[in-house]
């Protein structure tokens, strides 16, 4: 990259002067996500993405787009790091690019996308290849007059079952192809017969196991939970009518509630024996929420007051989960555990092993290793019984050992939600929103997931949160619309340049309403023989998701420092490979970046600044362990949002009139994440992973203040975003549209804050400005310069190695 002496004008009119950086490189001239994301979003506002248009790039993970399923699955379900696959392992090695697949099998669709179709299947189940067991799909070819089909994955000729037979037309296409949706769609579901069952499928069973110790009552958690569950069940009526629920509370004993609709009052049964806890109810534990509505509403009203005088400091977490599991061995389902203290009583009680002296050292990884193997065994037992565990944690200045108890959701396919120092006034809305979302999103249980590859390609490793009892299948107690998994791929043979490569992901699961299904996603990719062809169609968003999952997995063995060093090396080696093979004639002083991966340094820096990997001695081990597990399960769109949050110029957005500007007015005007980009007369909304900030400059005009907030002075704006009420003004309508659109696109509600320039502290706000110096990591410009220097050093090293090798050859010969 050439040094730039001249300072360019700021990108925004009215922006403050940009001070010359120390290294005299103009920040305006380095790659940024903002124009790329805006251009991609503008494109897909007017046209849908066709899944089989080979030269069309996959939409960015940040783009809101419609999809037409043409035989390949929607990229929301499955994305490859490389859209054009290298022909050989040597070609892949030359690029240094990661090769893998991310899968989000139950991902939510765009509102205008066609829903997933359940295809007809015979009593023997869906048609499958007789060798590799792949499911029939649009890429299979029928031969022998329709009596056989060639599997696109393994190439085997399988006999078509009699009840699936159809004659072929002159082009070799089945006569009934238009009626067979499994031969048209890249994603399809099949209802499966008893051969795919391990027990009789049933509707979802939900247990709410609630810690009722002193800290739970004092924090207000119990009261907010009762109010939220009552709203979900009866006021909004959001739960599937087939679902059955049970409510259990626990402290140093377990409390079960008989909610049988035939009973006139609630029956509470206490189990004080924790060593061999059992469920004392044969009937009345799991009930229909509507049939038992009077009793459930009464219980939810009474629980906060019933335990309000408790002084019990700790709760028996392990026996509570074990007892809940024993009640679900015949049905499977989900256990939602609400916990506020370290499980220090009962069998397999845990000790407080947190040690801040280990923070930032190589020994810190010890804190992320579970301290009791019983929790691993319990998690595996849950998976075997088709039970998923969600943890809702509310520590009050306390250590919970998330590394150990978090094994339960990590292996079973559940979530861990962490609300440190819970305050209903601050966290109540987010807790209620997140609990509601976790209950109403699409989800299944008793799951098995497998990725099949065509000849020449094999799965090298699996990354994410799951259990495995064999070498091929990911096993989960449950999964949902927000979970993703990654597969690293490798070669077992050289590919043919004139043949495509195929992948099929199959999820076998039970739906909430008790149907056993298999959801199948298919993907066809082209093969290329050039390094430039690989780079041209590489997908940075998917690659970063894969690299992040791999980094977190490796951090358990190598430590955080070694992992972040590896990320720097990966970034340098990828860009060096491009420079060496695609831009060898360029000047050594220039930094040459591939178009598809030009944001790799910025995204790598963003990954290193996340709570999962950053160097931060103030970060509690529980918080870090929580975010590490989150990152392993996070889909592509959320990781990109985390590594580089969205910053929207609100003042510009609200003044854009769709009637005059057309579709352009529906593309959010984004800004780069740097404090020097903030104009004193501007309003900016930053939507980060777990936080949302509305920054308001001290020079904002009165018209904007009045139109959006209904006030005349900056100091009168409420600091809680939820208190910003709609105004009868066009500016307010546009602002409310923006917030609503952001809420729809994210599964979990962030903590929101208003920052009034010159009035409110900006400490937390500054931490999400990823292009600036934060968390001891360099700013974007300095990091890019460091990568550039390392690329130059690597090229020089390779040049010297080549010279030495050549000299040695001639010395040996003569």
């Amino acid at each position: 990259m050439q040094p730039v002496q001249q300072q360019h004008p700021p990108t925004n009119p009215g922006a403050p002067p940009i001070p010359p950086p120390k290294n005299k490189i103009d920040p305006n001239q380095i790659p940024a996500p903002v124009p790329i994301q805006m251009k991609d979003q503008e494109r897909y506002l007017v046209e849908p993405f066709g899944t089989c248009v080979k030269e069309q790039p996959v939409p960015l993970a940040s783009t809101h787009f419609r999809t037409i399923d043409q035989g390949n699955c929607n990229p929301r379900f499955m994305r490859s790091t490389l859209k054009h696959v290298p022909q050989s392992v040597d070609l892949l090695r030359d690029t240094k690019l990661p090769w893998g697949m991310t899968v989000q099998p139950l991902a939510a669709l765009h509102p205008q996308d066609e829903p997933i179709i359940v295809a007809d299947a015979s009593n023997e189940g869906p048609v499958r290849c007789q060798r590799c067991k792949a499911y029939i799909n649009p890429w299979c070819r029928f031969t022998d007059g329709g009596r056989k089909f060639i599997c696109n994955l393994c190439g085997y000729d399988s006999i078509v079952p009699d009840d699936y037979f159809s004659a072929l037309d002159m082009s070799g296409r089945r006569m009934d192809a238009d009626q067979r949706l499994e031969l048209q769609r890249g994603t399809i579901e099949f209802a499966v017969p008893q051969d795919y069952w391990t027990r009789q499928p049933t509707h979802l069973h939900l247990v709410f196991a609630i810690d009722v110790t002193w800290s739970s009552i004092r924090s207000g958690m119990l009261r907010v939970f009762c109010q939220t569950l009552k709203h979900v069940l009866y006021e909004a009526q959001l739960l599937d009518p087939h679902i059955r629920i049970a409510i259990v509370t626990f402290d140093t004993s377990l409390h079960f509630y008989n909610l049988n609709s035939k009973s006139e009052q609630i029956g509470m049964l206490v189990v004080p024996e924790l060593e061999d806890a059992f469920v004392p109810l044969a009937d009345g534990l799991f009930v229909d929420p509507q049939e038992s509505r009077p009793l459930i509403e009464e219980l939810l009203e009474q629980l906060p007051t019933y335990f309000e005088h408790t002084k019990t400091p700790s709760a028996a977490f392990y026996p509570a989960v074990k007892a809940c599991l024993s009640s679900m061995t015949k049905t499977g389902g989900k256990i939602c555990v609400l916990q506020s203290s370290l499980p220090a009583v009962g069998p397999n009680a845990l000790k407080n092993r947190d040690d801040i002296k280990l923070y930032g050292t190589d020994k810190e990884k010890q804190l992320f290793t579970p301290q009791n193997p019983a929790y691993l065994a319990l998690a595996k037992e849950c998976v075997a019984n088709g039970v998923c565990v969600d943890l809702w944690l509310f520590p009050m200045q306390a250590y919970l050992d998330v590394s150990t108890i978090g094994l339960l959701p990590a292996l079973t396919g559940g979530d861990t939600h962490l609300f440190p120092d819970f305050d209903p006034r601050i966290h109540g809305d987010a807790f209620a929103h997140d609990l509601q979302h976790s209950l109403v999103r699409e989800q299944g249980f008793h799951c098995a997931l497998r990725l099949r590859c065509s000849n020449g390609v094999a799965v090298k490793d699996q990354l994410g949160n799951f259990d495995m009892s064999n070498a091929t299948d990911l096993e989960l107690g449950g999964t949902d619309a927000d979970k993703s998994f990654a597969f690293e791929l490798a070669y077992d043979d050289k590919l043919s340049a004139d043949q495509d490569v195929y992948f099929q992901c199959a999820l076998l699961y039970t739906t909430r309403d008790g149907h056993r299904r298999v959801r199948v996603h298919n993907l066809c990719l082209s093969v290329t023989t050039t390094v430039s062809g690989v780079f041209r169609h590489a997908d940075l968003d998917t690659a970063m998701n894969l690299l992040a999952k791999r980094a977190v997995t490796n951090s358990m063995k190598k430590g955080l420092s070694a992992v972040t060093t590896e990320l720097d090396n990966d970034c340098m080696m990828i860009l060096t490979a491009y420079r060496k093979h695609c831009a060898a004639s360029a000047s050594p002083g220039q930094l040459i970046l591939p178009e598809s991966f030009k944001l790799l340094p910025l995204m790598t820096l963003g990954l290193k600044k996340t709570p999962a990997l950053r160097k931060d001695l103030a970060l509690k081990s529980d918080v870090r362990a929580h975010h590490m597990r989150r990152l392993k399960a996070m889909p592509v769109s959320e990781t990109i949002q985390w590594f580089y949050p969205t910053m929207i110029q609100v003042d510009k957005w609200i003044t854009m009139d769709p009637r005059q500007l057309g579709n352009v007015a529906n593309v959010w005007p984004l800004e780069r994440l740097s404090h020097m980009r903030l104009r004193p007369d501007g309003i900016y909304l930053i939507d980060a992973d777990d936080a949302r900030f509305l920054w308001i400059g001290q020079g904002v005009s009165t018209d904007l203040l009045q139109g959006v907030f209904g006030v005349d002075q900056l100091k009168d704006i409420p600091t809680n975003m939820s208190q910003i009420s709609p105004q009868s003004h066009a500016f307010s309508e546009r602002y409310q549209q923006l917030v609503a659109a952001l809420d729809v696109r994210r599964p979990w509600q962030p903590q929101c804050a208003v920052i009034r320039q010159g009035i409110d502290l900006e400490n937390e706000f500054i931490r999400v400005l990823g292009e600036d110096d934060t968390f001891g990591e360099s700013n974007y410009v300095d990091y890019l310069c460091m990568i550039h220097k390392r690329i130059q050093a690597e090229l020089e090293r390779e040049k010297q190695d080549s010279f030495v090798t050549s000299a040695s050859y001639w010395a040996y010969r003569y």
Side-chain angles (χ1 to χ4, degrees), residues 21 127 131 137 159 197 204 213 258 267 274 354 396 420 453 459-460 481 533 567 629 724 755 762:
V127 177
R131 177 196 284 170
N137 64 81
I159 298 174
W197 303 357
L204 180 60
T213 56
N258 187 340
L274 299 179
D354 196 24
M396 300 294 290
C453 313
V459 173
K460 175 183 174 183
L567 287 171
R629 292 240 173 84
I724 299 177
I755 308 295
E762 297 186 351

Side-chain angles (χ1 to χ4, degrees), residues 416-460:
T416 297
H417 303 266
L418 187 62
F419 294 91
D421 302 321
F422 181 79
D423 184 337
R425 296 168 299 178
I426 300 173
H427 309 105
D429 289 344
F431 171 40
H433 173 276
D434 293 355
L435 180 61
Q436 177 175 307
H437 173 74
S438 73
L439 296 176
V440 303
R441 64 188 169 182
E442 184 171 9
Q443 54 195 295
F445 57 102
H446 211 170
C447 311
L449 181 81
R450 179 183 292 190
L451 180 69
R452 292 181 172 90
C453 313
S454 58
N455 291 335
V457 182
V459 173
K460 175 183 174 183

Side-chain angles (χ1 to χ4, degrees), residues 115-271:
I116 306 303
I117 301 297
V118 181
D120 295 331
S122 67
N123 294 333
E124 286 73 35
V127 177
R128 304 178 68 176
C129 172
Q130 293 168 355
R131 177 196 284 170
C132 71
K133 301 303 179 183
Y135 294 87
I136 194 75
N137 64 81
W139 304 103
C140 293
R141 290 189 299 112
F142 289 86
T143 61
D144 194 15
R147 287 181 287 272
K148 293 182 180 179
F149 72 91
I150 301 175
C151 175
N152 59 306
L153 294 173
C154 71
Y156 185 73
D157 278 5
S158 294
I159 298 174
V160 175
D162 292 341
D163 58 359
Y164 198 77
F165 172 78
S166 171
L168 307 182
D169 62 17
M170 296 295 292
S171 64
R173 187 171 182 264
R174 284 174 60 109
M175 301 291 288
D176 67 346
D178 292 336
Q179 287 75 48
R180 293 287 186 181
L181 293 177
E182 67 273 19
L183 301 180
Q184 303 174 36
R185 301 283 183 91
T187 294
I188 201 76
E189 276 201 357
F190 297 101
V192 293
Q194 292 188 13
D195 291 347
Y196 294 74
W197 303 357
T198 55
R199 62 173 174 230
Q200 179 69 35
T202 183
H203 36 253
L204 180 60
H205 284 56
L206 268 172
V207 180
F208 297 97
I210 312 155
D211 165 5
V212 288
T213 56
W214 175 82
S215 55
S216 296
I217 308 303
R218 181 175 176 270
S219 68
M221 173 272 287
L222 182 58
R223 189 173 298 277
V224 175
F225 165 77
C226 292
Q227 294 170 350
T228 303
L229 185 58
K230 185 177 179 181
H231 169 78
V232 171
L233 292 176
Y234 304 120
E235 295 170 11
Q237 295 190 357
L238 297 173
L239 280 189
D240 189 290
H242 301 92
I243 288 177
R244 299 293 180 267
I245 72 167
I247 297 176
V248 176
T249 56
F250 62 98
D251 42 31
T252 54
S253 59
L254 311 182
H255 322 127
F256 297 87
Y257 299 91
N258 187 340
L259 301 173
N260 194 317
S261 58
K262 298 178 181 178
S263 302
E264 295 183 358
Q265 59 182 10
I266 302 168
M268 177 179 176
L269 291 86
V270 179
V271 178

